[in-house]
Amino acid sequence: MSAEASFRPVEEPEHGGSLSSVGELLGEISEDISTLMRQEVELAKTELRQSASNASKAGGMLGGAAVAAHMVLLFASVALWWALGASIGRGWSALVVALVWALIAAVLAAVGRTQLKAVTGMPQTTETAKRIPDALKGK
């Protein structure tokens, strides 16, 4: 069998068009990737808007709950003040209620300070963002 006998010309694709060059194929791939990236960005924006909307509604509800809880604490404190006032006097009972709230504030401040010292930032997000350029380069 000779080399000429085994050589067959490349057949054209069935869709009737001519063979695309490598440059045209790379151009199409680049365009498709660009379109995909734009669509992904638009999807992310839409999801972010929806999440922000839901978060703002939830934040409003939590704010309203915080105001209501503050009012409950205020009136419960006044009731405790008046109840203690019947036995130890109004002045002393006001001081006792104030000291209870000072103790609660000190404990909350100490716990909050400890938790604040433990915060190190966003290491996972930072590392992921740093890896994106390497992923695009194929590393």
Side-chain angles (χ1 to χ4, degrees):
M1 189 167 14
S2 70
E4 292 178 24
S6 65
F7 175 75
R8 282 186 258 156
V10 178
E11 297 176 11
E12 292 190 4
E14 292 182 14
H15 57 74
S18 63
L19 288 175
S20 298
S21 70
V22 174
E24 290 173 345
L25 289 175
L26 289 176
E28 289 177 17
I29 290 171
S30 174
E31 186 178 323
D32 290 346
I33 289 174
S34 177
T35 301
L36 178 62
M37 293 300 287
R38 280 193 301 273
Q39 290 172 344
E40 287 294 323
V41 167
E42 284 303 315
L43 179 61
K45 285 180 183 178
T46 302
E47 289 174 347
L48 185 60
R49 276 189 221 106
Q50 183 65 35
S51 294
S53 173
N54 291 342
S56 68
K57 289 176 187 174
M61 294 297 224
L62 288 173
V67 169
H70 173 67
M71 296 304 289
V72 167
L73 287 175
L74 177 67
F75 284 107
S77 296
V78 170
L80 178 62
W81 172 30
W82 279 91
L84 287 175
S87 60
I88 61 173
R90 302 271 184 250
W92 288 110
S93 64
L95 184 61
V96 167
V97 172
L99 288 174
V100 167
W101 279 113
L103 179 66
I104 291 171
V107 169
L108 289 174
V111 171
R113 185 172 182 222
T114 302
Q115 289 182 353
L116 190 59
K117 286 182 179 180
V119 174
T120 58
M122 302 180 300
Q124 182 65 37
T125 304
T126 305
E127 286 301 314
T128 304
K130 287 179 183 175
R131 282 189 266 150
I132 289 174
D134 290 338
L136 292 175
K137 292 177 186 174
K139 293 181 182 180

